[in-house]
Amino acid sequence: MRQRHGIFPGRCCVTNSEYALPLERPVVCVVGPTASGKTDVAQEMALRLGASVISADSMQIYRGMDIGTGKILPADRKVVHHGIDICDPGEAYSAALFQRYARNLFERADRAGETSVLAGGTGLYVRAAIDDYNFPHGEQVENPVRMAYQRFLEEHGAQALWEELARVDAESADLIHPNNTRRVIRAFEMIELEGTTYARQHEGFSHMAQFVPAVFVGLAVDPELLKRRIDERVDAMVERGLVEEVEFLLSQGFESALTAREAIGYKEIVAALREECTLDAAIDEIKLATRRYAKRQRTWWRKDDRIAWIDADDADVPRIVDDAMVLLDSYEG
């Protein structure tokens, strides 16, 4: 299918899914690890395509968590950006909610004759939006099972919660870190509400059929170079006022959200403000945690053979986008 001026003529659908979402033009997914340049590349691609950008980042959804999540500043946005500032820190949100949100945007843009550029970020959010993943009622924001195990967590702590999961479903518990309480609770929901397990779902997820027509562009950066970029990025965040951002969010009562396991860049600064460590130690920990996160992202995306990888070592956004546009030009839907 030939691409011209951001238009992908002809109706696209995915043949390996019975209920594929029909679109005139495929969603353009820009993926890769943190600090690989996704934000700039996605925006430049959207400019060339006359498109909008949808952020598939599970932390950029939170208002006020700007510097630490690497949000593109409003003054730097040259196209419309969605998926940013959806809810307050600590407010319940899920991949299921993002799936509905993103697909509504895909359809709305397609009806207007426009392309969507999905920038991720969070691998689960990208796959929830694009692939044929069904979220049963257990994945709703609130349900009695979730509330019951949340109370158990508050009364007995994370380790006891995980040990209870290990007692009833050792295979799933082996896949989940005890501190990832959100996922531990989700595992209980799957057992009690859906008649399946986290382990079975995890095994089948990599084989899931595609639901939304899409072309995947991956940004590949040498690991050592990516490590340096991450360190420089963290230093720049501190220079821009990350500590002050955390202080303000704490003053607004968002401490529990900032100390969550997923809140890289925030929980470490909170520890420094509590004088549990020095600021320098906190910054070093942010860099280390971000490097580990980037490694997990690379591992996640390496398993997806739909991705066409582009060398992004030089961070030359126009050149990278030129290469990506060639991929779009040869897209066959």
Side-chain angles (χ1 to χ4, degrees):
M1 179 176 295
R2 305 291 288 178
Q3 172 268 331
R4 291 289 182 267
H5 308 297
I7 303 298
F8 297 78
R11 199 140 194 88
C12 302
C13 65
V14 181
T15 58
N16 62 349
S17 178
E18 182 180 358
Y19 303 106
L21 182 71
L23 298 175
E24 293 286 347
R25 43 197 63 73
V27 175
V28 178
C29 300
V30 181
V31 302
T34 189
S36 61
K38 295 186 299 296
T39 298
D40 291 338
V41 169
Q43 175 159 254
E44 180 62 27
M45 291 189 73
L47 274 171
R48 297 195 193 185
L49 292 167
S52 58
V53 172
I54 304 170
S55 169
D57 187 299
S58 63
M59 298 306 292
Q60 290 191 358
I61 63 173
Y62 295 116
R63 301 183 190 99
M65 296 177 69
D66 302 331
I67 297 173
T69 64
K71 270 180 208 170
I72 183 170
L73 297 173
D76 295 331
R77 297 174 195 172
K78 302 173 184 177
V79 300
V80 174
H81 281 71
H82 303 282
I84 295 175
D85 299 336
I86 295 175
C87 54
D88 289 332
E91 188 175 335
Y93 201 81
S94 69
L97 291 176
F98 183 78
Q99 180 185 74
R100 293 193 288 273
Y101 174 81
R103 289 180 180 178
N104 284 336
L105 289 171
F106 297 159
E107 291 187 295
R108 186 193 313 166
D110 198 66
R111 287 195 300 269
E114 299 173 356
T115 303
S116 295
V117 177
L118 184 68
T122 302
L124 178 59
Y125 275 31
V126 174
R127 296 210 53 186
I130 299 299
D131 292 339
D132 195 10
Y133 192 85
N134 295 313
F135 292 94
H137 59 283
E139 184 65 8
Q140 295 170 358
V141 171
E142 291 185 1
N143 59 63
V145 173
R146 180 171 301 182
M147 295 171 67
Y149 282 103
Q150 186 64 43
R151 286 194 297 271
F152 184 98
L153 170 64
E154 293 168 359
E155 293 174 5
H156 303 286
Q159 184 64 31
L161 180 70
W162 181 86
E163 289 174 357
E164 178 64 14
L165 177 63
R167 186 183 67 80
V168 299
D169 182 7
E171 187 178 6
S172 295
D174 286 342
L175 297 173
I176 305 172
H177 192 284
N179 290 342
N180 194 343
T181 56
R182 182 181 301 177
R183 192 160 295 173
V184 173
I185 293 174
R186 173 70 183 129
F188 282 114
E189 293 172 1
M190 296 178 72
I191 294 168
E192 299 188 25
L193 295 175
E194 299 165 30
T196 186
T197 70
Y198 177 85
R200 284 199 291 270
Q201 182 198 72
H202 188 270
E203 181 180 359
F205 195 66
S206 60
H207 307 294
M208 199 163 295
Q210 193 170 322
F211 183 82
V212 175
V215 55
F216 286 79
V217 176
L219 304 186
V221 180
D222 177 80
E224 284 302 313
L225 177 57
L226 189 67
K227 176 182 175 181
R228 292 196 294 272
R229 284 194 194 174
I230 288 170
D231 290 351
E232 291 169 0
R233 179 177 175 174
V234 172
D235 288 336
M237 287 177 174
V238 176
E239 286 292 322
R240 284 177 52 201
L242 177 59
V243 174
E244 291 76 14
E245 178 171 279
V246 173
E247 288 177 327
F248 174 76
L249 291 167
L250 287 173
S251 74
Q252 300 302 300
F254 295 127
E255 181 173 346
S256 61
L258 301 184
T259 54
R261 180 174 180 267
E262 300 86 353
I264 298 173
Y266 290 92
K267 61 181 183 291
E268 296 85 358
I269 297 298
V270 170
L273 292 173
R274 290 173 174 169
E275 298 185 348
E276 296 171 3
C277 65
T278 66
L279 179 59
D280 286 343
I283 293 170
D284 287 343
E285 183 59 32
I286 294 171
K287 292 175 180 178
L288 179 60
T290 306
R291 288 182 218 133
R292 288 171 175 164
Y293 177 56
K295 184 177 181 180
R296 292 195 299 273
Q297 288 175 308
R298 291 199 305 272
T299 299
W300 175 284
W301 294 120
R302 273 201 302 266
K303 300 174 183 177
D304 197 327
D305 59 10
R306 295 171 294 183
I307 301 172
W309 291 97
I310 295 175
D311 183 349
D313 282 355
D314 59 8
D316 184 343
V317 173
R319 192 274 304 163
I320 294 169
V321 174
D322 284 343
D323 290 351
M325 296 300 286
V326 172
L327 296 175
L328 302 191
D329 197 46
S330 60
Y331 174 81
E332 294 290 341

